[in-house]
Amino acid sequence: MLIETPTHRPGTPETTPTASRRRHDDAPDTAALFARMAELEEGPEREAVRDELVTLWLPMAHRIAGRFRDRGESIEDLRQVAALGLVKAIDRFDPSRGAFESYAVPTITGEVKRHFRDRMWALRVPRRVQELRNKVRVARRELTQNPGSPEPSVADLATHTGLTEEEVNAGLEALDSFSTLSLDAELSADDDGYSLADTLGAADSSYDVVVDRESAKEGLRRLPERERAILYMRFFEDMTQSRIADHLGISQMHVSRLISRSCARVRDEVLGQRTGNRGSGGTSTTA
């Protein structure tokens, strides 16, 4: 077995030869193929060399995709994204500028990260907030990596990341924006369990009643006294038209006509006022 002896002088920084750097099993020697592809013109032969390079380096792309598993995306989709990054790296690589692995790893990693940034957020947030989220997530993991470490406070995270507490809070809020919760999700494990939808408010029809009542006030005030009395007896005292007719000494048919005419007058005035408000930019004039 050959043993490599260090050749650096004492007191000088130790340098590791490129050839002795750790290489992964999925990093094949394809320098000759890249040199050949660089010499070829566009055509079937160049495409064949390109396909061979993709096949040889695909295990490395899959390894990089595996680093992002368990983050809400299937490993098959991550491998597809990493393969796309690999193809881009092969197409853009210049063999004269160094080793392909040094160029491909950040290119593929960036493609996968871009996929998470652009496609995986259930609630769209600005890129700056996404970056704050990542910094806060990494800082929280680093501060709790030792067993028994307490959950870091906002101040602890701010000190560790160099961010302000306001920025840390924005990052913490973004942590909950990556995925959404179904409205049908059960929030209670009891027999009388309820879903998230059960906790949401509903439109209150009483507000419409208030608006209609306030809109009709002016029109009711302008009615003759007898018509106002008839409407009050009919709709507030719940008297029948026959009882109102006996009370006023008129026919029930006359009461019915007065009620219909009074209601139509108030309704027309309210609708006309609303139309006038829209047409005059919110102002109206009453004659």
Side-chain angles (χ1 to χ4, degrees), residues 142-181:
E142 292 175 349
L143 292 174
T144 57
Q145 61 184 354
N146 295 326
S149 299
E151 184 68 22
S153 64
V154 173
D156 295 334
L157 292 170
T159 302
H160 189 78
T161 57
L163 302 172
T164 65
E165 293 191 9
E166 183 179 355
E167 291 172 329
V168 170
N169 283 324
L172 290 173
E173 290 178 1
L175 286 172
D176 298 327
S177 301
F178 192 71
S179 59
T180 55
L181 186 64

Side-chain angles (χ1 to χ4, degrees), residues 14-216:
E14 181 178 355
T15 57
T16 304
T18 304
S20 65
R21 289 179 183 170
R22 179 177 177 272
R23 292 176 61 86
H24 292 283
D25 294 337
D26 53 22
D29 184 5
T30 54
L33 283 174
F34 274 111
R36 182 183 173 194
M37 188 176 77
E39 296 173 352
L40 294 172
E41 299 290 337
E42 291 290 341
E45 187 177 357
R46 189 178 188 279
E47 286 296 320
V49 175
R50 179 173 176 265
D51 291 344
E52 185 177 356
L53 287 168
V54 171
T55 301
L56 291 171
W57 285 98
L58 196 57
M60 183 195 70
H62 289 173
R63 171 170 57 82
I64 295 174
R67 299 175 184 171
F68 297 87
R69 66 171 67 245
D70 301 326
R71 296 193 187 182
E73 182 69 297
S74 67
I75 188 62
E76 290 78 12
D77 289 342
L78 290 177
R79 287 180 173 178
Q80 289 290 334
V81 175
L84 175 62
L86 171 62
V87 172
K88 291 182 178 180
I90 290 175
D91 290 340
R92 299 170 184 172
F93 177 61
D94 182 357
S96 65
R97 311 197 79 174
F100 175 69
E101 185 178 8
S102 301
Y103 177 77
V105 170
T107 302
I108 297 172
T109 303
E111 191 70 27
V112 177
K113 289 183 177 179
R114 190 157 41 249
H115 172 77
F116 277 96
R117 185 191 69 205
D118 297 339
R119 302 292 181 87
M120 293 299 296
W121 287 78
L123 178 63
R124 186 65 175 160
V125 298
R127 181 176 299 181
R128 176 180 170 276
V129 178
Q130 294 183 30
E131 293 172 352
L132 292 177
R133 170 192 177 272
N134 291 333
K135 290 181 180 179
V136 170
R137 177 176 57 83
V138 172
R140 191 161 66 173
R141 185 179 64 221
E142 292 175 349
L143 292 174
T144 57
Q145 61 184 354
N146 295 326
S149 299
E151 184 68 22
S153 64
V154 173
D156 295 334
L157 292 170
T159 302
H160 189 78
T161 57
L163 302 172
T164 65
E165 293 191 9
E166 183 179 355
E167 291 172 329
V168 170
N169 283 324
L172 290 173
E173 290 178 1
L175 286 172
D176 298 327
S177 301
F178 192 71
S179 59
T180 55
L181 186 64
S182 171
L183 290 176
D184 296 325
E186 292 288 336
L187 299 183
S188 174
D190 301 335
D191 294 336
D192 56 345
Y194 55 90
S195 67
L196 179 60
D198 296 329
T199 66
L200 302 179
D204 191 344
S205 58
S206 299
Y207 288 113
D208 295 331
V209 174
V210 172
V211 172
D212 292 341
R213 182 176 296 172
E214 291 299 315
S215 300

Side-chain angles (χ1 to χ4, degrees), residues 218-225 227-228 231 262 265-266:
E218 290 301 320
L220 290 171
R221 290 193 183 103
R222 284 192 288 269
L223 289 175
E225 183 178 354
E227 276 81 343
R228 290 204 307 270
L231 293 180
S262 299
R265 177 178 172 180
V266 172

Side-chain angles (χ1 to χ4, degrees), residues 234 239-246 251-253 255-256 259:
R234 179 68 185 93
M239 293 175 60
T240 63
Q241 293 183 9
S242 298
R243 286 185 58 195
I244 296 172
D246 294 340
S251 68
Q252 182 267 336
M253 184 64 68
V255 170
S256 177
I259 291 176

